[in-house]
Amino acid sequence: MTALIKDAFSVAKAVPDDISGMMACVRDAQKYLSRCEVDQWQNGYPNESVILRDIELGNAYVAKSPNGRLAGIMALVFGDEPSYAHIYGGEWRFSGEKYATLHRLAVRAEFRGGGLAFALLRAAQSEAAIRGVSVLRADTHRDNMTMQGFLQKHGFERRGVIYLADGSERLAFDTRINMSTDEKVDYD
């Protein structure tokens, strides 16, 4: 099922035909981060194979405008995130509970500022709630003030520091999902 969101945009699971629009969204995000002097997504990540893998695993979601233009992307991963096994300078608030991880959230330049990132977050929360998961985690670069602000504005708390497989440091966040039954939308 596809869910309608702000201004009739829709969020649905991504399919392989979405790849060119998804990569355009990634390139927009890379340019934005570069302009903000954030050294995140500047080394060729995420590349097409990462995004295709998200699609293959059923973790990729897209937001599209009413005319079908791809406007935003995200990956929602269920299960343990290996990079989250050790957290430094803090602790997870909901340790021991099942969680989903929000990755690769990005909105095309022409759609920024209209609530689309929040709509994608709500879609992630809804999908998690439907699957019986009540905790959402995310991480971002220390210099990515836009993402940090977004996460904190929407109930995430900074919990500490984690390290990616390549040794890169990321700030770690978590939140409890609070959704009523009528807010949940099935995206399968």
Side-chain angles (χ1 to χ4, degrees):
M1 171 190 239
T2 299
L4 291 180
I5 58 172
K6 185 167 178 59
D7 299 326
F9 281 77
S10 62
V11 174
K13 283 205 173 192
V15 297
D17 286 347
D18 291 322
I19 192 66
S20 72
M22 294 176 79
M23 291 311 298
C25 190
V26 167
R27 286 188 298 276
D28 273 6
Q30 289 168 329
K31 289 175 190 171
Y32 174 78
L33 290 168
S34 178
R35 279 193 311 275
C36 293
E37 299 181 3
V38 177
D39 187 26
Q40 183 177 12
W41 288 18
Q42 301 303 302
N43 62 355
Y45 174 90
N47 58 34
E48 190 169 305
S49 64
V50 169
I51 302 299
L52 283 169
R53 182 82 172 136
D54 285 340
I55 295 169
E56 289 169 13
L57 294 173
N59 297 335
Y61 293 79
V62 293
K64 292 184 179 179
S65 69
N67 67 2
R69 184 166 164 82
L70 197 141
I73 64 171
M74 73 172 171
L76 183 64
V77 180
F78 289 86
D80 291 342
E81 170 64 49
S83 298
Y84 292 176
H86 301 286
I87 188 165
Y88 303 90
E91 62 186 15
W92 297 111
R93 284 185 295 170
F94 313 108
S95 188
E97 294 185 41
K98 291 191 307 184
Y99 64 90
T101 304
L102 183 65
H103 285 298
R104 294 177 281 289
L105 175 65
V107 174
R108 294 285 310 258
E110 63 266 34
F111 298 106
R112 284 193 199 115
L116 195 55
F118 176 66
L120 283 160
L121 173 60
R122 291 301 284 172
Q125 292 171 328
S126 178
E127 181 68 18
I130 286 168
R131 294 188 189 198
V133 173
S134 61
V135 175
L136 197 56
R137 291 181 179 175
D139 63 80
T140 194
H141 192 282
R142 181 176 296 280
D143 296 334
N144 191 339
M145 303 310 290
T146 301
M147 188 63 172
Q148 289 179 54
F150 172 79
L151 292 170
Q152 291 172 328
K153 177 180 179 181
H154 297 296
F156 284 79
E157 287 186 23
R158 183 172 156 186
R159 304 310 307 156
V161 173
I162 58 100
Y163 291 90
L164 305 179
D166 69 2
S168 299
E169 176 196 77
R170 293 293 181 264
L171 301 182
F173 296 80
D174 70 8
T175 190
R176 181 167 302 284
I177 299 167
N178 295 307
M179 296 191 85
S180 65
T181 305
D182 60 338
E183 292 179 290
K184 297 175 188 173
V185 180
D186 186 359
Y187 292 90
D188 285 326

mmCIF file with all atom_site columns, all heavy atoms in Angstrom, residues 157-174:
data_model
loop_
_atom_site.group_PDB
_atom_site.id
_atom_site.type_symbol
_atom_site.label_atom_id
_atom_site.label_alt_id
_atom_site.label_comp_id
_atom_site.label_asym_id
_atom_site.label_entity_id
_atom_site.label_seq_id
_atom_site.pdbx_PDB_ins_code
_atom_site.Cartn_x
_atom_site.Cartn_y
_atom_site.Cartn_z
_atom_site.occupancy
_atom_site.B_iso_or_equiv
_atom_site.pdbx_formal_charge
_atom_site.auth_seq_id
_atom_site.auth_comp_id
_atom_site.auth_asym_id
_atom_site.auth_atom_id
_atom_site.pdbx_PDB_model_num
ATOM 1   N N   . GLU A 1 157 ? 17.074 11.657 20.917 1.00 0.00 ? 157 GLU A N   1
ATOM 2   C CA  . GLU A 1 157 ? 18.066 12.184 21.849 1.00 0.00 ? 157 GLU A CA  1
ATOM 3   C C   . GLU A 1 157 ? 19.434 11.639 21.484 1.00 0.00 ? 157 GLU A C   1
ATOM 4   O O   . GLU A 1 157 ? 19.569 10.456 21.139 1.00 0.00 ? 157 GLU A O   1
ATOM 5   C CB  . GLU A 1 157 ? 17.735 11.764 23.288 1.00 0.00 ? 157 GLU A CB  1
ATOM 6   C CG  . GLU A 1 157 ? 16.556 12.504 23.868 1.00 0.00 ? 157 GLU A CG  1
ATOM 7   C CD  . GLU A 1 157 ? 16.351 12.184 25.339 1.00 0.00 ? 157 GLU A CD  1
ATOM 8   O OE1 . GLU A 1 157 ? 17.326 11.749 26.021 1.00 0.00 ? 157 GLU A OE1 1
ATOM 9   O OE2 . GLU A 1 157 ? 15.224 12.364 25.809 1.00 0.00 ? 157 GLU A OE2 1
ATOM 10  N N   . ARG A 1 158 ? 20.420 12.517 21.576 1.00 0.00 ? 158 ARG A N   1
ATOM 11  C CA  . ARG A 1 158 ? 21.804 12.093 21.334 1.00 0.00 ? 158 ARG A CA  1
ATOM 12  C C   . ARG A 1 158 ? 22.230 11.192 22.478 1.00 0.00 ? 158 ARG A C   1
ATOM 13  O O   . ARG A 1 158 ? 22.080 11.539 23.645 1.00 0.00 ? 158 ARG A O   1
ATOM 14  C CB  . ARG A 1 158 ? 22.708 13.312 21.236 1.00 0.00 ? 158 ARG A CB  1
ATOM 15  C CG  . ARG A 1 158 ? 24.126 12.953 20.907 1.00 0.00 ? 158 ARG A CG  1
ATOM 16  C CD  . ARG A 1 158 ? 24.925 14.201 20.639 1.00 0.00 ? 158 ARG A CD  1
ATOM 17  N NE  . ARG A 1 158 ? 26.327 13.925 20.893 1.00 0.00 ? 158 ARG A NE  1
ATOM 18  C CZ  . ARG A 1 158 ? 27.267 14.829 20.854 1.00 0.00 ? 158 ARG A CZ  1
ATOM 19  N NH1 . ARG A 1 158 ? 26.976 16.089 20.582 1.00 0.00 ? 158 ARG A NH1 1
ATOM 20  N NH2 . ARG A 1 158 ? 28.510 14.509 21.096 1.00 0.00 ? 158 ARG A NH2 1
ATOM 21  N N   . ARG A 1 159 ? 22.790 10.014 22.118 1.00 0.00 ? 159 ARG A N   1
ATOM 22  C CA  . ARG A 1 159 ? 23.109 9.017  23.125 1.00 0.00 ? 159 ARG A CA  1
ATOM 23  C C   . ARG A 1 159 ? 24.598 8.789  23.302 1.00 0.00 ? 159 ARG A C   1
ATOM 24  O O   . ARG A 1 159 ? 25.019 8.197  24.288 1.00 0.00 ? 159 ARG A O   1
ATOM 25  C CB  . ARG A 1 159 ? 22.428 7.683  22.787 1.00 0.00 ? 159 ARG A CB  1
ATOM 26  C CG  . ARG A 1 159 ? 20.925 7.776  22.631 1.00 0.00 ? 159 ARG A CG  1
ATOM 27  C CD  . ARG A 1 159 ? 20.210 8.475  23.771 1.00 0.00 ? 159 ARG A CD  1
ATOM 28  N NE  . ARG A 1 159 ? 20.548 7.896  25.051 1.00 0.00 ? 159 ARG A NE  1
ATOM 29  C CZ  . ARG A 1 159 ? 20.458 8.535  26.209 1.00 0.00 ? 159 ARG A CZ  1
ATOM 30  N NH1 . ARG A 1 159 ? 20.048 9.766  26.263 1.00 0.00 ? 159 ARG A NH1 1
ATOM 31  N NH2 . ARG A 1 159 ? 20.792 7.943  27.322 1.00 0.00 ? 159 ARG A NH2 1
ATOM 32  N N   . GLY A 1 160 ? 25.406 9.181  22.334 1.00 0.00 ? 160 GLY A N   1
ATOM 33  C CA  . GLY A 1 160 ? 26.841 8.950  22.420 1.00 0.00 ? 160 GLY A CA  1
ATOM 34  C C   . GLY A 1 160 ? 27.439 8.900  21.030 1.00 0.00 ? 160 GLY A C   1
ATOM 35  O O   . GLY A 1 160 ? 26.894 9.463  20.087 1.00 0.00 ? 160 GLY A O   1
ATOM 36  N N   . VAL A 1 161 ? 28.557 8.198  20.922 1.00 0.00 ? 161 VAL A N   1
ATOM 37  C CA  . VAL A 1 161 ? 29.300 8.101  19.666 1.00 0.00 ? 161 VAL A CA  1
ATOM 38  C C   . VAL A 1 161 ? 29.422 6.635  19.288 1.00 0.00 ? 161 VAL A C   1
ATOM 39  O O   . VAL A 1 161 ? 29.683 5.776  20.134 1.00 0.00 ? 161 VAL A O   1
ATOM 40  C CB  . VAL A 1 161 ? 30.705 8.727  19.828 1.00 0.00 ? 161 VAL A CB  1
ATOM 41  C CG1 . VAL A 1 161 ? 31.575 8.494  18.605 1.00 0.00 ? 161 VAL A CG1 1
ATOM 42  C CG2 . VAL A 1 161 ? 30.587 10.218 20.136 1.00 0.00 ? 161 VAL A CG2 1
ATOM 43  N N   . ILE A 1 162 ? 29.251 6.360  17.995 1.00 0.00 ? 162 ILE A N   1
ATOM 44  C CA  . ILE A 1 162 ? 29.501 5.022  17.465 1.00 0.00 ? 162 ILE A CA  1
ATOM 45  C C   . ILE A 1 162 ? 30.537 5.159  16.353 1.00 0.00 ? 162 ILE A C   1
ATOM 46  O O   . ILE A 1 162 ? 30.793 6.265  15.869 1.00 0.00 ? 162 ILE A O   1
ATOM 47  C CB  . ILE A 1 162 ? 28.212 4.327  16.949 1.00 0.00 ? 162 ILE A CB  1
ATOM 48  C CG1 . ILE A 1 162 ? 27.504 5.146  15.859 1.00 0.00 ? 162 ILE A CG1 1
ATOM 49  C CG2 . ILE A 1 162 ? 27.250 4.089  18.098 1.00 0.00 ? 162 ILE A CG2 1
ATOM 50  C CD1 . ILE A 1 162 ? 27.779 4.679  14.472 1.00 0.00 ? 162 ILE A CD1 1
ATOM 51  N N   . TYR A 1 163 ? 31.117 4.039  15.967 1.00 0.00 ? 163 TYR A N   1
ATOM 52  C CA  . TYR A 1 163 ? 32.103 4.028  14.886 1.00 0.00 ? 163 TYR A CA  1
ATOM 53  C C   . TYR A 1 163 ? 31.640 3.061  13.804 1.00 0.00 ? 163 TYR A C   1
ATOM 54  O O   . TYR A 1 163 ? 31.251 1.921  14.100 1.00 0.00 ? 163 TYR A O   1
ATOM 55  C CB  . TYR A 1 163 ? 33.489 3.652  15.412 1.00 0.00 ? 163 TYR A CB  1
ATOM 56  C CG  . TYR A 1 163 ? 34.052 4.751  16.283 1.00 0.00 ? 163 TYR A CG  1
ATOM 57  C CD1 . TYR A 1 163 ? 33.820 4.757  17.650 1.00 0.00 ? 163 TYR A CD1 1
ATOM 58  C CD2 . TYR A 1 163 ? 34.764 5.801  15.714 1.00 0.00 ? 163 TYR A CD2 1
ATOM 59  C CE1 . TYR A 1 163 ? 34.309 5.786  18.454 1.00 0.00 ? 163 TYR A CE1 1
ATOM 60  C CE2 . TYR A 1 163 ? 35.253 6.834  16.506 1.00 0.00 ? 163 TYR A CE2 1
ATOM 61  C CZ  . TYR A 1 163 ? 35.011 6.819  17.868 1.00 0.00 ? 163 TYR A CZ  1
ATOM 62  O OH  . TYR A 1 163 ? 35.480 7.849  18.645 1.00 0.00 ? 163 TYR A OH  1
ATOM 63  N N   . LEU A 1 164 ? 31.664 3.529  12.566 1.00 0.00 ? 164 LEU A N   1
ATOM 64  C CA  . LEU A 1 164 ? 31.301 2.697  11.428 1.00 0.00 ? 164 LEU A CA  1
ATOM 65  C C   . LEU A 1 164 ? 32.397 1.669  11.162 1.00 0.00 ? 164 LEU A C   1
ATOM 66  O O   . LEU A 1 164 ? 33.494 1.765  11.707 1.00 0.00 ? 164 LEU A O   1
ATOM 67  C CB  . LEU A 1 164 ? 31.086 3.577  10.193 1.00 0.00 ? 164 LEU A CB  1
ATOM 68  C CG  . LEU A 1 164 ? 30.072 4.714  10.352 1.00 0.00 ? 164 LEU A CG  1
ATOM 69  C CD1 . LEU A 1 164 ? 29.974 5.521  9.055  1.00 0.00 ? 164 LEU A CD1 1
ATOM 70  C CD2 . LEU A 1 164 ? 28.701 4.173  10.754 1.00 0.00 ? 164 LEU A CD2 1
ATOM 71  N N   . ALA A 1 165 ? 32.106 0.719  10.294 1.00 0.00 ? 165 ALA A N   1
ATOM 72  C CA  . ALA A 1 165 ? 33.073 -0.338 9.980  1.00 0.00 ? 165 ALA A CA  1
ATOM 73  C C   . ALA A 1 165 ? 34.393 0.229  9.466  1.00 0.00 ? 165 ALA A C   1
ATOM 74  O O   . ALA A 1 165 ? 35.461 -0.344 9.723  1.00 0.00 ? 165 ALA A O   1
ATOM 75  C CB  . ALA A 1 165 ? 32.473 -1.308 8.967  1.00 0.00 ? 165 ALA A CB  1
ATOM 76  N N   . ASP A 1 166 ? 34.335 1.384  8.774  1.00 0.00 ? 166 ASP A N   1
ATOM 77  C CA  . ASP A 1 166 ? 35.569 1.983  8.253  1.00 0.00 ? 166 ASP A CA  1
ATOM 78  C C   . ASP A 1 166 ? 36.287 2.865  9.275  1.00 0.00 ? 166 ASP A C   1
ATOM 79  O O   . ASP A 1 166 ? 37.285 3.505  8.963  1.00 0.00 ? 166 ASP A O   1
ATOM 80  C CB  . ASP A 1 166 ? 35.284 2.782  6.978  1.00 0.00 ? 166 ASP A CB  1
ATOM 81  C CG  . ASP A 1 166 ? 34.474 4.055  7.223  1.00 0.00 ? 166 ASP A CG  1
ATOM 82  O OD1 . ASP A 1 166 ? 34.135 4.374  8.390  1.00 0.00 ? 166 ASP A OD1 1
ATOM 83  O OD2 . ASP A 1 166 ? 34.170 4.744  6.227  1.00 0.00 ? 166 ASP A OD2 1
ATOM 84  N N   . GLY A 1 167 ? 35.766 2.903  10.507 1.00 0.00 ? 167 GLY A N   1
ATOM 85  C CA  . GLY A 1 167 ? 36.377 3.682  11.574 1.00 0.00 ? 167 GLY A CA  1
ATOM 86  C C   . GLY A 1 167 ? 35.858 5.099  11.713 1.00 0.00 ? 167 GLY A C   1
ATOM 87  O O   . GLY A 1 167 ? 36.233 5.818  12.639 1.00 0.00 ? 167 GLY A O   1
ATOM 88  N N   . SER A 1 168 ? 34.969 5.525  10.811 1.00 0.00 ? 168 SER A N   1
ATOM 89  C CA  . SER A 1 168 ? 34.416 6.883  10.880 1.00 0.00 ? 168 SER A CA  1
ATOM 90  C C   . SER A 1 168 ? 33.523 7.042  12.102 1.00 0.00 ? 168 SER A C   1
ATOM 91  O O   . SER A 1 168 ? 32.712 6.174  12.409 1.00 0.00 ? 168 SER A O   1
ATOM 92  C CB  . SER A 1 168 ? 33.584 7.189  9.632  1.00 0.00 ? 168 SER A CB  1
ATOM 93  O OG  . SER A 1 168 ? 34.369 7.116  8.476  1.00 0.00 ? 168 SER A OG  1
ATOM 94  N N   . GLU A 1 169 ? 33.687 8.165  12.772 1.00 0.00 ? 169 GLU A N   1
ATOM 95  C CA  . GLU A 1 169 ? 32.882 8.490  13.948 1.00 0.00 ? 169 GLU A CA  1
ATOM 96  C C   . GLU A 1 169 ? 31.515 9.016  13.522 1.00 0.00 ? 169 GLU A C   1
ATOM 97  O O   . GLU A 1 169 ? 31.400 9.781  12.574 1.00 0.00 ? 169 GLU A O   1
ATOM 98  C CB  . GLU A 1 169 ? 33.593 9.571  14.762 1.00 0.00 ? 169 GLU A CB  1
ATOM 99  C CG  . GLU A 1 169 ? 32.785 10.040 15.963 1.00 0.00 ? 169 GLU A CG  1
ATOM 100 C CD  . GLU A 1 169 ? 33.293 11.347 16.535 1.00 0.00 ? 169 GLU A CD  1
ATOM 101 O OE1 . GLU A 1 169 ? 33.019 12.402 15.928 1.00 0.00 ? 169 GLU A OE1 1
ATOM 102 O OE2 . GLU A 1 169 ? 33.961 11.286 17.575 1.00 0.00 ? 169 GLU A OE2 1
ATOM 103 N N   . ARG A 1 170 ? 30.473 8.629  14.273 1.00 0.00 ? 170 ARG A N   1
ATOM 104 C CA  . ARG A 1 170 ? 29.137 9.169  14.063 1.00 0.00 ? 170 ARG A CA  1
ATOM 105 C C   . ARG A 1 170 ? 28.481 9.400  15.422 1.00 0.00 ? 170 ARG A C   1
ATOM 106 O O   . ARG A 1 170 ? 28.702 8.647  16.371 1.00 0.00 ? 170 ARG A O   1
ATOM 107 C CB  . ARG A 1 170 ? 28.255 8.214  13.250 1.00 0.00 ? 170 ARG A CB  1
ATOM 108 C CG  . ARG A 1 170 ? 28.692 8.026  11.796 1.00 0.00 ? 170 ARG A CG  1
ATOM 109 C CD  . ARG A 1 170 ? 28.531 9.299  10.985 1.00 0.00 ? 170 ARG A CD  1
ATOM 110 N NE  . ARG A 1 170 ? 28.906 9.144  9.603  1.00 0.00 ? 170 ARG A NE  1
ATOM 111 C CZ  . ARG A 1 170 ? 30.082 9.456  9.084  1.00 0.00 ? 170 ARG A CZ  1
ATOM 112 N NH1 . ARG A 1 170 ? 31.050 9.908  9.864  1.00 0.00 ? 170 ARG A NH1 1
ATOM 113 N NH2 . ARG A 1 170 ? 30.322 9.308  7.814  1.00 0.00 ? 170 ARG A NH2 1
ATOM 114 N N   . LEU A 1 171 ? 27.664 10.456 15.481 1.00 0.00 ? 171 LEU A N   1
ATOM 115 C CA  . LEU A 1 171 ? 26.851 10.702 16.672 1.00 0.00 ? 171 LEU A CA  1
ATOM 116 C C   . LEU A 1 171 ? 25.618 9.814  16.588 1.00 0.00 ? 171 LEU A C   1
ATOM 117 O O   . LEU A 1 171 ? 24.987 9.716  15.531 1.00 0.00 ? 171 LEU A O   1
ATOM 118 C CB  . LEU A 1 171 ? 26.439 12.167 16.742 1.00 0.00 ? 171 LEU A CB  1
ATOM 119 C CG  . LEU A 1 171 ? 27.581 13.184 16.775 1.00 0.00 ? 171 LEU A CG  1
ATOM 120 C CD1 . LEU A 1 171 ? 27.023 14.599 16.889 1.00 0.00 ? 171 LEU A CD1 1
ATOM 121 C CD2 . LEU A 1 171 ? 28.541 12.891 17.923 1.00 0.00 ? 171 LEU A CD2 1
ATOM 122 N N   . ALA A 1 172 ? 25.279 9.179  17.689 1.00 0.00 ? 172 ALA A N   1
ATOM 123 C CA  . ALA A 1 172 ? 24.183 8.217  17.727 1.00 0.00 ? 172 ALA A CA  1
ATOM 124 C C   . ALA A 1 172 ? 22.976 8.795  18.460 1.00 0.00 ? 172 ALA A C   1
ATOM 125 O O   . ALA A 1 172 ? 23.129 9.479  19.481 1.00 0.00 ? 172 ALA A O   1
ATOM 126 C CB  . ALA A 1 172 ? 24.648 6.943  18.423 1.00 0.00 ? 172 ALA A CB  1
ATOM 127 N N   . PHE A 1 173 ? 21.796 8.509  17.939 1.00 0.00 ? 173 PHE A N   1
ATOM 128 C CA  . PHE A 1 173 ? 20.529 9.019  18.468 1.00 0.00 ? 173 PHE A CA  1
ATOM 129 C C   . PHE A 1 173 ? 19.530 7.878  18.570 1.00 0.00 ? 173 PHE A C   1
ATOM 130 O O   . PHE A 1 173 ? 19.590 6.922  17.796 1.00 0.00 ? 173 PHE A O   1
ATOM 131 C CB  . PHE A 1 173 ? 19.947 10.076 17.522 1.00 0.00 ? 173 PHE A CB  1
ATOM 132 C CG  . PHE A 1 173 ? 20.785 11.317 17.386 1.00 0.00 ? 173 PHE A CG  1
ATOM 133 C CD1 . PHE A 1 173 ? 21.888 11.339 16.560 1.00 0.00 ? 173 PHE A CD1 1
ATOM 134 C CD2 . PHE A 1 173 ? 20.462 12.468 18.107 1.00 0.00 ? 173 PHE A CD2 1
ATOM 135 C CE1 . PHE A 1 173 ? 22.668 12.487 16.431 1.00 0.00 ? 173 PHE A CE1 1
ATOM 136 C CE2 . PHE A 1 173 ? 21.235 13.601 17.987 1.00 0.00 ? 173 PHE A CE2 1
ATOM 137 C CZ  . PHE A 1 173 ? 22.341 13.621 17.150 1.00 0.00 ? 173 PHE A CZ  1
ATOM 138 N N   . ASP A 1 174 ? 18.580 8.019  19.503 1.00 0.00 ? 174 ASP A N   1
ATOM 139 C CA  . ASP A 1 174 ? 17.448 7.089  19.531 1.00 0.00 ? 174 ASP A CA  1
ATOM 140 C C   . ASP A 1 174 ? 16.197 7.790  20.004 1.00 0.00 ? 174 ASP A C   1
ATOM 141 O O   . ASP A 1 174 ? 16.240 8.900  20.556 1.00 0.00 ? 174 ASP A O   1
ATOM 142 C CB  . ASP A 1 174 ? 17.744 5.834  20.355 1.00 0.00 ? 174 ASP A CB  1
ATOM 143 C CG  . ASP A 1 174 ? 17.849 6.049  21.863 1.00 0.00 ? 174 ASP A CG  1
ATOM 144 O OD1 . ASP A 1 174 ? 17.557 7.154  22.361 1.00 0.00 ? 174 ASP A OD1 1
ATOM 145 O OD2 . ASP A 1 174 ? 18.224 5.089  22.569 1.00 0.00 ? 174 ASP A OD2 1
#
